[in-house]
Amino acid sequence: MAKHVLRLTAVVYILFLLVLPVGLIIWRTFGDGLGPFVEALTSPSAVHAFKVTITVAAWAVVANTVFGVGAALLLVRHEFPGKRLLGAFIDLPMAVSPVVVGLALILVYGRFSPAGGLLESWGIQVIFSTPGMVLATVFVALPLVVRAIVPVLEELGDEQEQAAHTLGASRLQSFVRITLPGIRWALGYGVVLCLARSLGEYGAVAVVSGRLVDQTQTLTLFVEERFQNFDQPAAFAAATALALIAVVTLLLTKLLRPKDLSDGN
Amino acid sequence: MAIEVRDVNKSFGATPVLRDVSVDVESGSLTALLGPSGGGKSTLLRVIAGLERPDTGTVRISGVDATRLSPQRRNVGFVFQHYAAFKHLSVFRNVAFGLEIRKRPKDEIRKRVMELLELVHLEKLADRYPSQLSGGQRQRMALARALAVEPEVLLLDEPFGALDAQVRKELRAWLRRLHDEVHVTTVFVTHDQEEAIEVADTIVVLANGEVVQAGSPGEVYDNPANPFVMRFLGPVTEIGGSLVRPHDIEISSGPVEGGAPAVVSRVVRLGFEVRVEVKIGTEEAWVQVTREQADRLALSPGDTVHLKPSPGARSLVLSAV
């Protein structure tokens, strides 16, 4: 009996929290057929928002992948003073609100701060521009790749790398031929998670971008702005597009996850 | 000399692991580094391979000072206790790894790898992955992989330590035969004195980070440098303040010249050999005799016997404590 109650509670909980809202959005979006959906997403503003989102997410994923692999190697393979501190810092973005991140970035890179002023004098505008949005996105998605790789690297150990060295492989060769294949599923999983987080980021980007329509507007900002301006079809269409992307990435992570486990014996 | 280790010191933090270690390994020999765990033998092997850097001292491989060379440039083959198989590569690609790194032509690699796989009896499993192999097969693959690059020395770190007793014994004999075929200078680490005596032609005993003794298995067994080595290399018992091998004691029912009287406390029949536990006064000792001897003497608990080291027996006088 208790099992049934528990099950029912879970189903109702998920229904009201997840299925109903997402379902309603999709129903509203496609309520008048595919035409308005396509139309809403092909408007110049929407296409621009798509492009900005993809640009920002792509840079953020590249940066976090490179940093993530490097930091994971550092954390797992090396002993150094401040190692635990680095580990704690990497997890910081999980705890800090994205809005705080955005404000902090403005404080450091805003036009009237020393660093921001210096960059401005070199013609690089960070805040209210793509670099700032990339920075904000990198920050919020920072731990995802690192945390996906660290346990796998730990389990992998370094004996295979040592074996590769004794067989004549350089550090780079052993990384490319041994380490990378060893962590490939975990890395894929981390990258997909990072991509999903980057595409969906709102808070930090909202603060840093200045929400300039057709300039620094990402897809999430576009949804919010259209909604505020009573353009519900466009808002719902873009929201559905974001949800679909999320579902696809979720499926990708599901595909990557079991292989990852079987890979590590 | 294939390997000359001179005055090597190595500490991990404040703990010294190797102290003034000097070892010579002759070309073409099969040398065992034997000692209790924590004795520094694995660290010494890793220093030779370049996987650890000594704090002081030098390592020469084939006459070349290799102390500062990275493992990549030392041309040594290293076999790990837990195989270190490249999990994502097939058996063939595992063995081919070193040759691929050296950018050898494809057909040459194929020929060499197949030769090696035949040598280690894995030619039929070339397309398998390490996870599909047994422990013994993985270790043979690791050996073939190390041999593929024609190393100047082959280093094995407790190569059979992770295998069960039966496979261990088989591989031991097989390693000896392989060495007689390939003749590559080989150093292996073991804490199993039987393994060292059976396989090696030179044994280096390490304890507490120091070389205690080096020599042929016969020398080390028969002329141990100190009580520690004697105890470590084989069974010992104490009679009249001396360490003696239990099989080097003559036992007789009547008094003999130079013999010590003892009372039998237990007779244990272990197949062919019989272990006779005795008390000399209050001291406990034991003697190993053959079944035939035991039957002849008709030993049973409570009997008084007389013990005497057999002529030619090696014994070490224990200094009074």
Side-chain angles (χ1 to χ4, degrees):
Chain A
M1 189 62 209
K3 211 168 80 182
H4 292 291
V5 173
L6 210 61
R7 195 183 295 174
L8 192 72
T9 316
V11 168
V12 170
Y13 188 80
I14 296 291
L15 185 74
F16 280 94
L17 222 64
L18 201 81
V19 179
L20 212 57
V22 175
L24 270 180
I25 283 187
I26 292 172
W27 183 65
R28 280 288 190 86
T29 307
F30 296 112
D32 301 322
L34 263 179
F37 176 70
V38 174
E39 201 178 310
L41 285 186
T42 47
S43 76
S45 289
V47 170
H48 190 270
F50 256 115
K51 281 185 184 159
V52 173
T53 296
I54 285 166
T55 309
V56 169
W59 280 113
V61 166
V62 168
N64 273 337
T65 303
V66 173
F67 171 82
V69 173
L73 283 173
L74 205 60
L75 285 176
V76 177
R77 294 274 190 272
H78 299 274
E79 289 300 327
F80 54 92
K83 176 170 161 167
R84 299 183 70 157
L85 199 67
L86 178 67
F89 271 132
I90 284 169
D91 289 330
L92 199 64
M94 293 283 199
V96 176
S97 161
V99 178
V100 176
V101 174
L103 283 176
L105 284 176
I106 290 186
L107 265 181
V108 177
Y109 296 107
R111 181 175 295 182
F112 303 109
S113 75
L118 188 66
L119 287 169
E120 192 99 345
S121 70
W122 294 341
I124 304 168
Q125 193 194 352
V126 178
I127 302 301
F128 305 144
S129 161
T130 311
M133 293 155 74
V134 172
L135 276 180
T137 310
V138 165
F139 191 107
V140 295
L142 188 72
L144 298 171
V145 175
V146 185
R147 291 298 159 207
I149 302 176
V150 161
V152 179
L153 262 184
E154 267 167 1
E155 209 230 66
L156 202 63
D158 58 355
E159 277 203 343
Q160 291 187 48
E161 288 160 30
Q162 290 178 3
H165 285 313
T166 62
L167 291 167
S170 65
R171 277 179 182 278
L172 183 68
Q173 281 171 322
S174 92
F175 174 75
V176 173
R177 285 168 179 258
I178 303 302
T179 317
L180 216 49
I183 59 170
R184 59 182 186 258
W185 299 115
L187 183 61
Y189 181 72
V191 165
V192 169
L193 272 186
C194 177
L195 180 67
R197 184 80 182 81
S198 304
L199 291 172
E201 171 50 25
Y202 177 79
V205 169
V207 176
V208 166
S209 70
R211 309 179 191 212
L212 308 173
V213 176
D214 289 348
Q215 286 183 45
T216 62
Q217 196 176 50
T218 63
L219 210 53
T220 48
L221 298 177
F222 175 81
V223 172
E224 207 264 341
E225 183 253 334
R226 287 289 94 198
F227 190 75
Q228 297 294 338
N229 290 319
F230 306 106
D231 185 2
Q232 293 202 354
F236 286 142
T240 301
L242 274 171
L244 285 177
I245 294 170
V247 168
V248 170
T249 49
L250 195 72
L251 286 178
L252 274 178
T253 59
K254 287 280 174 221
L255 281 178
L256 291 173
R257 209 51 179 158
K259 275 185 193 154
D260 186 21
L261 292 176
S262 69
D263 222 32
N265 269 336
Chain B
M1 286 295 160
I3 306 171
E4 293 162 76
V5 176
R6 283 287 166 276
D7 307 318
V8 160
N9 282 282
K10 171 83 188 168
S11 304
F12 290 128
T15 323
V17 191
L18 296 174
R19 309 173 210 227
D20 289 321
V21 169
S22 295
V23 172
D24 287 327
V25 176
E26 252 177 83
S27 296
S29 70
L30 179 45
T31 301
L33 300 179
L34 175 68
S37 47
K41 52 199 191 313
S42 280
T43 308
L44 177 59
L45 197 75
R46 292 172 63 83
V47 164
I48 296 171
L51 295 169
E52 301 286 352
R53 196 157 269 198
D55 299 334
T56 59
T58 56
V59 176
R60 296 173 78 83
I61 297 175
S62 304
V64 179
D65 186 355
T67 317
R68 301 282 149 210
L69 282 183
S70 68
Q72 182 194 348
R73 314 213 172 279
R74 289 197 188 195
N75 202 23
V76 297
F78 201 98
V79 174
F80 295 81
Q81 180 178 2
H82 297 288
Y83 329 123
F86 301 143
K87 284 184 189 171
H88 62 290
L89 298 178
S90 65
V91 170
F92 183 93
R93 295 280 317 277
N94 259 276
V95 178
F97 187 88
L99 299 169
E100 285 177 6
I101 290 286
R102 285 166 176 71
K103 303 222 162 38
R104 296 280 169 77
K106 274 244 166 69
D107 45 346
E108 187 197 319
I109 293 180
R110 168 148 280 278
K111 190 164 161 275
R112 175 102 182 108
V113 171
M114 288 321 286
E115 271 171 26
L116 281 161
L117 287 179
E118 257 166 58
L119 187 71
V120 300
H121 309 301
L122 288 177
E123 66 273 20
K124 293 200 180 78
L125 305 178
D127 297 324
R128 296 261 185 108
Y129 282 84
S131 59
Q132 297 166 302
L133 302 182
S134 70
Q137 290 169 335
R138 276 186 226 186
Q139 200 54 299
R140 282 179 356 231
M141 179 194 85
L143 204 60
R145 182 176 73 182
L147 287 172
V149 296
E150 291 173 0
E152 310 210 19
V153 293
L154 181 64
L155 308 171
L156 305 103
D157 189 2
E158 303 242 8
F160 313 133
L163 303 168
D164 57 55
Q166 189 58 39
V167 181
R168 222 182 144 109
K169 284 210 161 153
E170 278 170 31
L171 277 192
R172 234 190 242 174
W174 176 80
L175 175 67
R176 182 67 237 186
R177 283 203 305 276
L178 183 80
H179 182 263
D180 294 340
E181 265 177 66
V182 187
H183 294 302
V184 59
T185 310
T186 306
V187 180
F188 75 103
V189 160
T190 180
H191 60 256
D192 180 343
Q193 90 287 347
E194 207 183 301
E195 190 166 290
I197 291 170
E198 186 183 325
V199 178
D201 38 48
T202 309
I203 293 179
V204 177
V205 184
L206 276 159
N208 294 322
E210 288 174 311
V211 175
V212 188
Q213 193 173 5
S216 71
E219 272 165 42
V220 180
Y221 189 86
D222 290 334
N223 294 312
N226 61 27
F228 167 80
V229 177
M230 185 157 181
R231 284 202 177 92
F232 199 79
L233 263 286
V236 288
T237 191
E238 220 181 295
I239 288 179
S242 299
L243 274 188
V244 191
R245 299 272 181 226
H247 52 73
D248 275 350
I249 298 167
E250 279 179 1
I251 189 165
S252 49
S253 43
V256 283
E257 206 189 315
V263 179
V264 176
S265 50
R266 208 157 91 96
V267 178
V268 189
R269 286 170 179 268
L270 303 160
F272 172 71
E273 58 174 62
V274 178
R275 183 187 159 104
V276 183
E277 293 175 9
V278 296
K279 272 199 167 169
I280 309 168
T282 54
E283 298 286 312
E284 288 187 7
W286 65 282
V287 183
Q288 185 188 320
V289 296
T290 63
R291 202 184 168 120
E292 183 254 334
Q293 266 180 305
D295 288 344
R296 189 157 41 82
L297 293 165
L299 295 170
S300 59
D303 292 357
T304 301
V305 291
H306 295 266
L307 307 179
K308 180 182 135 183
S310 48
R314 317 285 171 156
S315 64
L316 273 184
V317 178
L318 290 169
S319 50
V321 182

